[in-house]
Amino acid sequence: MSTPYPFTAVVGQDDLRLALLLNAVSPAVGGVLVRGEKGTAKSTAVRALSALLPEVEVVVGCRFSCAPGAPDPVCPDGPHETGPGSSRPARVVELPVGASEDRLVGALDIERALAEGVKAFEPGLLADANRGVLYVDEVNLLHDHLVDLLLDAAAMGSSYVEREGVSVRHAARFLLVGTMNPEEGELRPQLLDRFGLTVEVAASREPDLRVEVVRRRLAYDDDPAAFAARWADEENALRARIVAARALLPEVRLGDAALRQIAATCAAFEVDGMRADIVMARTATTLAAWAGRTVVLAEDVRQAALLALPHRRRRNPFDAPGLDEEKLDDTLEEFGGGDDAPEDDPDPDGPGGGGQPPQDGPEGPQDGPVDTAEEPAQPEEPEQPEEGQGGRPAGSGEQSAVRAAEPFRTKMLSVPGLGEGAAGRRSRARTDHGRTTGSRRPRGALTKLHLAATVQAAAPHQRARGRSGRGLVVRRDDLRQATREGREGNLVLFVVDASGSMAARQRMSAVKGAVLSLLLDAYQRRDKVGLITFRGKDATVALPPTSSVDAAAVRLETLPTGGRTPLSAGLLKAHDVLRVERMRDPARRPLLVVVTDGRATGGPDPVALGTRAARLHAAEGTASVVVDCESGPVRLGLAGALAGELGGTAVTLDELRADSIAGLVRDVQGASGAHRRVA
């Protein structure tokens, strides 16, 4: 067994270490979500925590870690008699992102269940993690059906496995710890709220700290056992402090003043529900115990807010996480200080500096308040003349970036046909979850039994198999796997016209608002997104295809406009991007969204070049939508003509709104379909 990196040897990352230690003291805090860039010791710190957790008393031989004093009455390995058990180290169980449903919740032997009536059950990771830690690295990349199972288990404290009327239940109480890189996409709000605390981590920009990180890592890689031995005393001291804080925790008093501060803070930051209040109260109490105090102070409430609220105040995936600390301090001051510490209490700062773990260096910079004030409305500027009008080239001057208009709910755009891509919520696809559409012979392990088809396959052979009782004689060859149809996520590639003909401030603000709305829709439907812009003489990949929808929103917000309209360059760049993505992930079908007024200027015969580029996409069957941004009393219909060449659909900005059309769901026409206007 490899020697884990010592927890106390992690350099810096004070908030990360504190959040993990608080959960070690009190699992009721509810786990922690660690957000940050790659290479910041997120996984290292979580894995190192296992060596600090106190041992767990379990029933001997129970695969579900039942407590000897209070065993689960419906444990599949039970019933257990109360009595002495055995101690074992607490587990940190890792859930791989690509795990199957059976690996997570366990599997029933359906063949034995049907033929013998035996509930033969193989436990999964939820059983292994009971009374321990369930760790999910890259938790934001976890498939939706696994997220649903995690949510159920976290809410109920139990895991249910049900297959065709056969069910098994077992306890699944675990501390949920997740790490993620926000650049790869955000978490669903329901799962986000299940994490008690959240911390943001980043690599230090202080050279001395970076030198120490490298020095320690190289020493560990050279000789892990010797490196761990060097830190054994620090590890033992921290382990003893966790035990002491656990013992002190029941004596900590949460006074009315601190409770008022907690409630006022949650109300001031407009968090949803009451979970935030409860988590803050538990965290503040644990902070006091960690500092060796029996009274919760205002500083505990403040630290609890910084850990428990940032991920709960986000209203959409484009909101930056974090708290306005000035507003937090004003709220705490308005509703009075916490209870004063008694004179015989230990130093409020306590060992470790007021609840902080041992420091390795100066704290990193704190995020300041986010200025969310919207730019005042500007009068619409006249469009720049096309080439040849007044002797000035079209859109020769660059315009500064304008803010996006308020996003809105868009109509649903989907790719036609039946795909087999990653699970999502956009286009029809063959999936492991969804409505049953048929049956087939299983390939490998049976996961979803089609009962009627299985009985139908077994029925003709009952006499030959010597059936004498009421039971059905079922063989392996009789079993049928259910085929299901659900929804998949797609690659939505935005090609945005940022040329001078789009540069009027009100129009570009509306265009950005429409793209932002489509990005929000892509986030909700679990799509990958990419962003290409074209202006001047060329097109630019502003954001390669990624699951981070909020990264696309940031790039869109800073998009400048001006210059000519190289439409063909934008379409050709999109063709190159899609060609590469088809090789990387052939199962994920693309949806091309071109946002333009349809004009093409610059170079020899720009209209013909744009037409030929559009036909490349049509020839490959790429589903496409053209968002027509043309405005004014006189319309040339150029965007509609472009949609016809692409073999796709054209919608105006107004028609893109879900509430402006009768039918909310319209399939995008494929390359073989005729161009039509959505009404």
Side-chain angles (χ1 to χ4, degrees), residues 2 142-143 193 233 299 320 429 512 548 554 572 604 662 672 677:
S2 61
L142 203 62
H143 289 300
D193 191 49
D233 291 343
E299 65 194 64
K512 285 188 175 183
S548 181
V554 171
L572 290 174
S672 60
R677 173 75 65 180

Side-chain angles (χ1 to χ4, degrees), residues 193-241:
D193 191 49
R194 284 293 171 186
F195 288 98
L197 311 179
T198 185
V199 292
E200 295 277 338
V201 297
S204 173
R205 300 298 183 257
E206 176 62 39
D208 291 341
L209 285 181
R210 297 177 74 95
V211 167
E212 187 61 24
V213 170
V214 175
R215 182 182 291 122
R216 293 186 188 183
R217 187 70 213 191
L218 292 178
Y220 172 78
D221 291 341
D222 288 342
D223 191 343
F227 184 81
R230 286 170 46 195
W231 291 88
D233 291 343
E234 287 82 353
E235 292 282 288
N236 290 333
L238 193 56
R239 192 179 296 110
R241 186 177 175 188

Side-chain angles (χ1 to χ4, degrees), residues 2 44 71 85 89 119 139 170 180 207 296 344 388 408 422 433 663 671 676:
S2 61
T44 298
K119 293 183 180 180
V139 64
H170 66 81
M180 60 174 282
V296 174
D344 57 348
F408 52 84
H433 300 267
R676 61 183 172 84

